[in-house]
Amino acid sequence: MGGTRRQEILDAAIAVMAERGVAGLNLSEVARRVGIRQPSLYKHFPSRHAVYDELFRLAAQQQLEAARKAASAARPGLEALTAYVEATGRIALAQPVLAQLLGSRPVPDFEPSREAFRPSVEYVEDVRAHLRAAVEAGELAEAAAEDDAVALMSILVTGTLSQQLANEPNAAYDEGRFTRLIPQVLDMFVRFYSPGGPP
Amino acid sequence: MGGTRRQEILDAAIAVMAERGVAGLNLSEVARRVGIRQPSLYKHFPSRHAVYDELFRLAAQQQLEAARKAASAARPGLEALTAYVEATGRIALAQPVLAQLLGSRPVPDFEPSREAFRPSVEYVEDVRAHLRAAVEAGELAEAAAEDDAVALMSILVTGTLSQQLANEPNAAYDEGRFTRLIPQVLDMFVRFYSPGGPP
DNA sequence: GTCTATAGGATGATAGAC
DNA sequence: GTCTATCATCCTATAGAC
């Protein structure tokens, strides 16, 4: 993952955030690790904010791609949705720092640019599309395609990941006290929206 | 809520965190608002960390007391659990800054002391006790008293609150896009653990 | 308990030579 | 693209007078 100096800087930034918290990104420390002087960083990024933004953009895009790839190998509907969510959990635990940057907003000054945020918007649209597909396949009740259901699914996924990242950020996906419950979490959702059911 | 200087300082600290993020607590700014010089703060708190710790302790204790009070007015079992969780949501939105301090860990250096963290431990024990009571009352299946169910409930509550606080921190509880789904969230859990059900 | 003064650092960012 | 030098702040914390 090295190669270009730009990439070295991003890698070092992730390492620094892993040690000092996502908000603790420190350009002097980044420069030290890359082996250059701190002012030289400004030939690669115009500001500290720009480093955050690029990390956010890359993380959101990688998350989106990984989830889409996993879903595309599955049958449309519930199976694809399940694969999509599970891939999200796996990549979050593989890159806990980036997942925290994406998920919460621990950096007071930083707001991602529109461009950087776009993959996250597409992510939510994907979830909605998977829910619609499951409804059309008769796997879920009509209500599962509505806004409340999308919000509910988002509560489930972010809740699981934020609990896992806050309590056992270095656990493996299948052993994490929370991520290992993902199948049950999804099962809970599916049963709630089972066709012919109450909601 | 004013009164003592110590309390004035804590109130000002909350206000500063509301504006600059939980991690952005700034003693000079706190002093300015209280109307004293920054070094004078050290007559009331030995360090910045101590301010965080006291805020954490107070927030955890108030959350615990509010939830317990709400639950005590309800019938033991599911009703009490529901009241307990709803009260948690309401107090979190009433004090979003403190809820963020309790929930995530957005301050890199700060780790709450044992003493400050104790109410949070009791909170989890309470949830477990309510689940046990609901099982004994025949309202939930046996499995609802086990560790996974406690983790699941914790995913649901923290997921709802973190999504609400991240996206609409200033919404009213009943209008929040996420907190307003609390009844459905609990319903989903209850149905998943309905007596005679599969888990 | 409040003040002034200041130590002692850290940090993001810019200017200009090479 | 990298360097040195430096600016301009900003912050927590301490010392000591009142």
Side-chain angles (χ1 to χ4, degrees), chain B residues 22 39 145 172:
Chain B
V22 175

Side-chain angles (χ1 to χ4, degrees), chain A residues 77-79 81-82 127-146 149-150 153 186-197 199:
Chain A
L78 264 188
E79 270 186 31
L81 176 66
T82 301
V127 169
R128 193 186 297 274
H130 285 303
L131 285 172
R132 261 199 302 263
V135 169
E136 280 161 24
E139 297 173 311
L140 294 178
E142 296 274 343
E146 288 167 14
V150 177
M153 179 58 71
L186 290 176
D187 198 28
M188 192 165 68
F189 180 89
V190 169
R191 270 199 246 169
F192 188 64
Y193 284 108
S194 70

Side-chain angles (χ1 to χ4, degrees), chain B residues 2 8 28 33 70 86 116 173:
Chain B
E8 283 177 31
S28 305
R33 298 189 189 211
E86 287 206 331
Y173 178 81

